[in-house]
Amino acid sequence: IDERPPPRDRIEARAVAVDRASAGLPVGVQVIARPWQDELVVALMEAIEAEVEAVLAECPGVALCAVVGVPDEEYGEIVVAFVTKKDGSITEDAIRQHCRTSLTGYKVPRMVVFKDDLPKSTVGKVLRKDLRDEAQSAYLARKAEGDDPASSVRHPASGTR
């Protein structure tokens, strides 16, 4: 017997879960519930893109950001952040360090891709599908160079890599 709720109830249940996840965020930061596909599964743990984006948006030097997942054989997915800079001084390490202060280890982006602008629809919504494709290409390129972004992922339960 399939006891799953109909799709509308699933979206409403997701909104409640996102509200709970956003409870620890600073006052004024709003997290809007999005479809199921916008949650990542990293080392069998759930990471919500909006939660990571809220932390990234607070980082000094970040003008605009978006987070997507890239499939990884060992961890399921890894978190990839796309960032537009306010100024040229922000680095990938600085962004990761900022995220480590507010996020658990598996939610910290393993790759940060800097862009002049993020792809948007005619109504101004970030086109995540385009970013997912670009993230996959960047991930495979780094892996081919011998720099595996997933190598820094720690399994949340055991602390092992």
Side-chain angles (χ1 to χ4, degrees):
I1 298 176
D2 187 4
E3 295 182 5
R4 291 181 295 175
R8 183 160 191 79
D9 290 345
R10 249 187 260 155
I11 291 170
E12 290 169 2
R14 182 80 211 118
V16 171
V18 171
D19 287 342
R20 289 185 190 140
S22 65
L25 295 176
V27 175
V29 174
Q30 294 181 339
V31 177
I32 299 170
R34 294 191 264 190
W36 286 91
Q37 67 195 29
D38 289 341
E39 71 182 34
L40 311 173
V41 179
V42 181
L44 301 178
M45 302 293 286
E46 179 184 293
I48 300 169
E49 290 176 357
E51 180 183 3
V52 179
E53 288 171 357
V55 172
L56 280 169
E58 295 172 350
C59 184
V62 172
L64 185 62
C65 62
V67 172
V68 296
V70 171
D72 181 72
E73 294 170 2
E74 188 173 354
Y75 295 100
E77 286 183 290
I78 63 166
V79 180
V80 178
F82 285 87
V83 173
T84 59
K85 300 178 182 182
K86 283 184 188 173
D87 54 45
S89 64
I90 192 81
T91 64
E92 187 171 353
D93 289 334
I95 289 173
R96 277 203 213 111
Q97 187 61 33
H98 173 79
C99 289
R100 282 187 191 105
T101 62
S102 301
L103 296 170
T104 54
Y106 67 94
K107 294 180 184 179
V108 174
R110 299 297 162 225
M111 281 180 53
V112 178
V113 179
F114 293 104
K115 294 183 62 75
D116 293 331
D117 197 19
L118 299 181
K120 295 180 184 173
S121 68
T122 55
V123 294
K125 187 176 177 180
V126 174
L127 297 173
R128 293 181 184 279
K129 183 182 181 329
D130 293 350
L131 292 179
R132 282 187 187 96
D133 294 342
E134 187 175 337
Q136 181 69 28
S137 297
Y139 172 74
L140 293 173
R142 278 202 190 174
K143 207 168 182 180
E145 293 172 1
D147 179 23
D148 186 2
S151 65
S152 61
V153 177
R154 292 188 180 274
H155 190 282
S158 67
T160 60
R161 289 183 183 223

